[in-house]
Structure formats: structure tokens, C-alpha cells
Amino acid sequence: MSGKVLTITSGKGGVGKSTSSANIALGLALSGKKVVTIDLDIGLRNLDMILGLENRIVYDVVNIVEKVCKLNQALIKDKRTDNMFLIAAAQTRDKSAVSAQQITNLTNDLKKDFDYIILDSPAGIESGFKNAMTPADEVIIITTPEISAVRDADRVIGILEANTKKDVSLIINRINPRLVKKGDMMSKDDVLQVLSIPLIGVVPEDDNIVSYTNIGEPSILHKESDSGLAYKNIVKRILGEDISFMEITEEKKGFLQSIINFFKE
């Protein structure tokens, strides 16, 4: 077995990167793939809560690279499937506690036993970003349809295009059809016009996300959830299926055209 490293990143914080990491990892596992997801947001740690695994943590990713524990001791098995494991971030350290080479060595070890290694990148473009990008085979950029988030995503894409030849794709998260229709939010086409990378998913705004996070159950587990359905479709696309995009908005053009033209210039 030789697994694939998939890094989830954003540039801007608060756009749903860890939520996307959890849903994609769990979706791949429920599709029969053996998956490990690694929280690289060292010093914060959120992925364990979203997955409902916070009470199972004994060791973390820093413990592995510092050889405080063996790799298998830090693998936290998911409650819902035997196919998924989590390696948690350290809460009491900072991002300088691990290097890009150490994370690359770790992912190379994991590739022997897992189909997918999902790296939940910290926001920004500092050392934690490099740690998550260096071992990546593919990168998924998460953005919300807001100017600041799209601008930061554009910056990340520029860095990746200048320094690597990795496959990069896009998830547009928290799109609100009512606001798009009013012209108060960028549409899918607006965002794609700015970023110009392949789209792998559009996730509608979901009022229940906070509730799902509080109980440690990603939306992909909830059949009534539109965001859960969107993540199921994203997983299918990652696995190579040709799935049409959900119709979640009547898109309106023109409101943000001057800003889009600014980006393009």
C-alpha cells in the first residue's frame, strides 16, 4: 500500500478548514478507505473535538517526532469506523516544535498502512503551513465567499504555484443562496473567476454545524444535512467519480465585478 497525502488549507482562519478535514476524512473512511488525519494546528487543537475524540488523546504529533511514544500509541481510533484514526495536535507547544522534514518522514511511514493521510493545516503561511504543504501529494484550498477569505486563498494559491507543482483544488464553504441572490455574497462563479483553480465542492451554509461540533458528529453523518450531502459528493470526487454539483443558489452577477476585476489586474 502506498497512501496519498491530502493537505487541507485556507490562508484565512475560521473558514471551516478543520470541519472540512473531519468530514472528508470520515467520508473516505466510510467509503472503505483506511484513513489517518493529522491535526497540524499545534498550540490550538480543534480536530479532535469536531470528531468527538478529545477524551481519547494520550499522545500527540509532537510526542511522535520527539520519540516520546511510538507511532501506533498516538493513533486514536474513531468511534464509528475501524478505518479512521486521528493524530492530535499538541496544545502546549507551538508550530516550531515540528519541522517539515519530520512531518514528511511521519507521512512516509503512514503511507505504508493508510490509503489517505489528511493533513489539517494551520491558517496562515508561516512554518505550520510549510509543514503541511511539504509532504502533500494534493492540496485542497477552503474558502468562504467573502472578499478577505478569497484574497487570502488567492495568496496561498500563488505561493503554491510559484514553489510547487502540486495538484490544487477548491472547496467553497458556507455559501448562502439568499445572500447570493440579493447580491450581498460572492457567487460560486464570482469566486472561481478570481481563483481559477478546479472546483471540487460547494458546501452550503448549515445552521446545525455548531450543534454537530458540540456533539462531535461531523455533518456527513447526518442524512438530513445539506452540508453533509455536499461533503459526501466531495469525497466521491476525490475518489474519481464524476458527480454534478448541488444546485444551492440562483447566482447573481455584477455586484462584485469591480472587485473581481481588481483581482484579475
Side-chain angles (χ1 to χ4, degrees):
M1 181 184 294
S2 181
K4 178 180 288 187
V5 179
L6 185 59
T7 292
I8 315 292
T9 192
S10 61
K12 186 179 187 294
V15 297
K17 177 177 46 57
S18 293
T19 298
S20 295
S21 297
N23 277 286
I24 290 169
L26 191 52
L28 287 167
L30 293 172
S31 297
K33 302 298 181 182
K34 193 172 182 186
V35 182
V36 58
T37 181
I38 307 176
D39 189 346
L40 291 180
D41 203 357
I42 296 169
L44 292 177
R45 185 194 286 175
N46 289 312
L47 196 52
D48 57 306
M49 291 182 61
I50 296 170
L51 289 168
L53 300 174
E54 66 272 19
N55 294 328
R56 299 188 176 197
I57 297 171
V58 179
Y59 298 108
D60 56 52
V61 66
V62 176
N63 296 145
I64 297 172
V65 301
E66 292 183 344
K67 302 190 185 304
V68 172
C69 68
K70 294 181 179 178
L71 174 54
N72 62 359
Q73 291 178 292
L75 289 169
I76 303 161
K77 191 175 182 180
D78 186 72
K79 298 181 289 188
R80 292 146 297 224
T81 170
D82 293 338
N83 283 346
M84 196 179 88
F85 294 80
L86 166 72
I87 296 176
Q91 279 187 303
T92 57
R93 305 290 292 273
D94 61 38
K95 294 171 182 62
S96 65
V98 297
S99 68
Q101 186 58 55
Q102 287 171 323
I103 298 302
T104 300
N105 293 342
L106 173 58
T107 57
N108 285 340
D109 287 341
L110 290 165
K111 281 183 176 184
K112 301 168 189 174
D113 297 310
F114 291 89
D115 297 304
Y116 285 92
I117 300 100
I118 309 294
L119 302 183
D120 183 14
S121 168
I125 52 173
E126 307 305 327
S127 62
F129 173 80
K130 182 180 179 182
N131 293 344
M133 291 304 135
T134 301
D137 296 309
E138 296 181 16
V139 178
I140 295 179
I141 308 276
I142 312 293
T143 188
T144 51
E146 302 159 328
I147 294 301
S148 60
V150 173
R151 179 192 61 192
D152 287 354
D154 190 48
R155 189 176 181 199
V156 168
I157 292 164
I159 292 169
L160 291 172
E161 289 178 345
N163 296 287
T164 73
K165 294 183 179 179
K166 301 181 190 299
D167 291 332
V168 181
S169 55
L170 178 70
I171 292 174
I172 303 170
N173 192 26
R174 295 180 190 155
I175 197 159
N176 183 315
R178 181 180 59 83
L179 294 180
V180 172
K181 190 173 182 179
K182 285 175 62 181
D184 292 337
M185 175 179 278
M186 297 177 79
S187 70
K188 178 186 73 176
D189 286 348
D190 289 334
V191 176
L192 290 175
Q193 201 171 347
V194 173
L195 299 181
S196 299
I197 59 172
L199 183 68
I200 199 170
V202 181
V203 181
E205 189 171 46
D206 189 337
D207 293 336
N208 293 314
I209 286 291
V210 173
S211 300
Y212 297 152
T213 299
N214 287 340
I215 60 174
E217 290 189 357
S219 61
I220 201 166
L221 295 171
H222 295 266
K223 293 180 180 179
E224 75 284 359
S225 168
D226 286 342
S227 67
L229 176 58
Y231 281 117
K232 287 177 184 176
N233 289 341
I234 289 166
V235 168
K236 289 176 182 178
R237 293 186 193 104
I238 290 171
L239 294 173
E241 292 188 43
D242 186 11
I243 303 293
S244 60
F245 289 94
M246 295 169 59
E247 290 293 332
I248 59 173
T249 180
E250 177 183 342
E251 300 192 347
K252 179 174 180 176
K253 301 181 183 297
F255 173 72
L256 296 160
Q257 197 61 47
S258 60
I259 298 172
I260 291 166
N261 289 341
F262 171 79
F263 274 108
K264 293 177 75 176
E265 288 170 6

